[in-house]
């Protein structure tokens, strides 16, 4: 029993040893028969192929030794080594000098190793590799442009400048870009000005005096102070007039105050769709005519666009990674900074623009531009020396205060999109139906009450929104 167990264990060990031993594939050979046409011999570059002849040969030659090298292993066996891609001819002669055969040798790039490296670097990609003439042809479908570029770069290592690209890119290659412009402006200004006027006679009317101060007041308040009238033209929001007589002297005091606050909110959300690698442009606004002088002395008109502008080039790099080359701008007319040329008023433009290149994934957002400005102005004017007098000097001083804050943020969000059925899309015009003559003339309706029946808007209109809706949170 012990001997049987030892014999079985030894046999099992030998079986495992033979099973784990490496197996060698047979060498590539080509048999050459006298009188039979010889097939072409394909030799990978930097690899060898054995050629066997059924007839002993005494002489063999290669037409172009730079393409392939040969050596005889015996009088019936030849070793052919590929050196450079190309075609050449191998000639075999017998002992009596007769031609045995001509073998056409094709030396091609070593695509076996290239295929292995391609599967290691780009697993799962359906790329077919072939040889054509002395180059490599790649075909099939890849999932992204980045993977296509990697496959081309790897192929160039094996066949420099001899790679043909017949691959196509699959997946979603259309990008919708959503850009949000958000701008907030806040302004506060305050001013306080005083005017003092004195007029009268003294010493029995033999001596007269007249004077006054009117700092930061362009409304003629001093001239009107003695008439006890509020100025007819006044830039401030409030005024207080106080006057009294001291003997033959009249004194008038005018206090004017201003406080203004303003808030401006600007929001624009342009959306634009483009194919990967193609430029797309968007403009929602108009063009403003700007006159100019031509070389001949005439007048030319140049149109400057304004509004919401968006130019971008999307590139789907790898799966859902998107590279964006973007130019976004929001502009508008600014009459306050305009100029007057020969009686013609030309408005200026206020413009916020950004130009950048970013990379992000589908649905992610970037704040590509931001601005926070805080302008502060404080102005104090007074009569010399008199304005420095405590308490009383405030009648000879005027103060202005202004503060302006601006916040601007530009956020971009790309999405990979695919086309859909036109019936599923709703237009803004779908929700409004033109009125009938009865609705317009009898009831004064500018739109029909009937809900649309077709399209995406009709689908929304037919839904029942009555009853409870929203979220319910249970404790």
């Amino acid at each position: 029993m012990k001997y049987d167990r030892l014999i079985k264990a030894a046999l099992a060990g030998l079986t495992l040893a033979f099973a784990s031993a490496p197996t060698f594939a047979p060498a590539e050979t080509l048999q050459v028969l006298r009188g039979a046409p010889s097939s072409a011999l394909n030799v990978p570059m930097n690899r060898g192929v054995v050629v066997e002849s059924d007839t002993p040969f005494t002489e063999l030659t290669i037409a172009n030794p730079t393409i392939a090298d040969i050596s005889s292993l015996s009088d019936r066996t030849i070793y052919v080594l590929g050196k450079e891609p190309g075609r050449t001819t191998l000639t075999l002669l017998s002992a009596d000098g007769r031609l045995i055969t001509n073998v056409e040798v094709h030396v091609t790039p070593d695509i076996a190793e290239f295929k292995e490296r391609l599967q290691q670097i780009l697993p799962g990609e359906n790329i077919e590799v072939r040889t054509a003439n002395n180059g490599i042809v790649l075909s099939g479908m890849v999932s992204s442009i980045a993977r296509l570029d990697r496959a081309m770069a790897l192929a160039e290592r094996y066949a420099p400048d001899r790679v043909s690209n017949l691959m196509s890119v699959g997946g979603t290659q259309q990008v919708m870009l959503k850009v949000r412009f958000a701008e907030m402006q806040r302004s506060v200004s305050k001013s306080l000005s005083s005017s003092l006027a004195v007029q009268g006679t003294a010493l029995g009317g033999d001596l007269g005096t007249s004077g006054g101060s009117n700092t930061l007041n362009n409304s003629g308040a001093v001239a009107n102070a003695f008439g006890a009238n509020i100025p007819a033209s006044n830039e401030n929001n409030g005024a207080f007039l106080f006057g009294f007589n001291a003997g033959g002297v009249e004194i008038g005091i005018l206090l004017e105050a201003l406080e203004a606050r303003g808030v401006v909110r600007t929001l624009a959300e342009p959306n634009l769709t483009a194919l990967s690698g193609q430029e797309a442009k968007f403009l929602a606004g108009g063009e403003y005519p700007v006159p100019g002088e031509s070389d001949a002395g005439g007048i030319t008109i140049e149109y400057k666009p304004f509004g919401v502008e968006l130019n971008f080039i999307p590139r789907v790099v790898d799966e859902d990674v998107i590279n964006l080359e973007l130019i976004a701008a929001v502009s508008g007319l600014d009459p306050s900074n305009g100029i007057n040329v020969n009686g013609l008023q030309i408005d200026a433009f206020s413009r916020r623009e950004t130009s950048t290149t970013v990379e992000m994934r589908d649905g992610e957002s970037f704040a590509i531009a931001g601005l926070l400005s805080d302008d502060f102005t404080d102005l104090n004017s007074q009569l010399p020396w008199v304005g420095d007098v405590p308490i009383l000097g405030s009648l000879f001083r005027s103060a202005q205060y202004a503060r302006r804050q601006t916040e601007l943020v530009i956020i971009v969000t790309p999405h990979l999109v695919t086309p859909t059925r036109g019936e599923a899309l709703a237009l803004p015009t779908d929700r409004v139906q033109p009125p009938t003559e009865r609705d317009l003339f009898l009831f004064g309706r500018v739109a029909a009450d009937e809900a649309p029946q077709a399209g995406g808007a009709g689908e929304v209109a037919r839904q029942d929104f009555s009853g409870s809706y929203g979220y319910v949170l249970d404790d």
Side-chain angles (χ1 to χ4, degrees), residues 304-319:
K304 298 290 186 180
F306 67 92
V308 180
E309 301 177 61
L310 176 62
N311 298 347
F312 81 104
I313 302 177
R315 294 180 179 90
V316 181
V317 180
D318 190 5
E319 294 181 355

Side-chain angles (χ1 to χ4, degrees), residues 426-432 457:
L427 301 177
T429 55
D430 293 340
R431 302 183 181 92
V432 179

Side-chain angles (χ1 to χ4, degrees), residues 152-227:
M152 291 293 296
L154 182 60
E156 287 287 340
R157 303 287 296 177
Y158 290 87
D161 301 327
R162 298 189 304 274
V163 181
S164 299
N165 178 21
L166 301 181
M167 295 180 291
S168 59
V169 180
T172 303
Q173 297 297 313
Q174 296 181 115
V175 179
M176 184 190 73
L177 184 64
K178 180 179 180 181
V179 181
R180 286 174 288 175
F181 297 86
E183 183 177 8
M184 202 73 177
Q185 296 180 359
R186 293 182 292 270
S187 61
V188 177
S189 61
K190 299 179 182 180
S191 67
L192 178 63
S193 62
S194 62
S195 300
L196 176 64
V198 178
Q199 182 176 0
T201 59
L203 301 177
D206 296 332
L207 177 63
T209 179
S210 177
S213 65
N214 185 26
T215 57
L216 292 182
N217 183 12
N218 300 322
S219 60
V222 175
N224 294 325
F226 302 104

Side-chain angles (χ1 to χ4, degrees), residues 19 32 40 56 121 147-148 155 165 246 350 394 398:
V32 178
I121 297 176
R147 292 176 177 263
L148 184 146
N165 178 21
S350 62
S394 60
S398 294

Side-chain angles (χ1 to χ4, degrees), residues 326-344:
L326 174 68
I327 300 176
V330 175
S331 59
L333 298 178
D334 186 8
S336 61
N337 293 324
I339 59 175
N340 192 299
V341 181
N342 296 329
L344 182 62

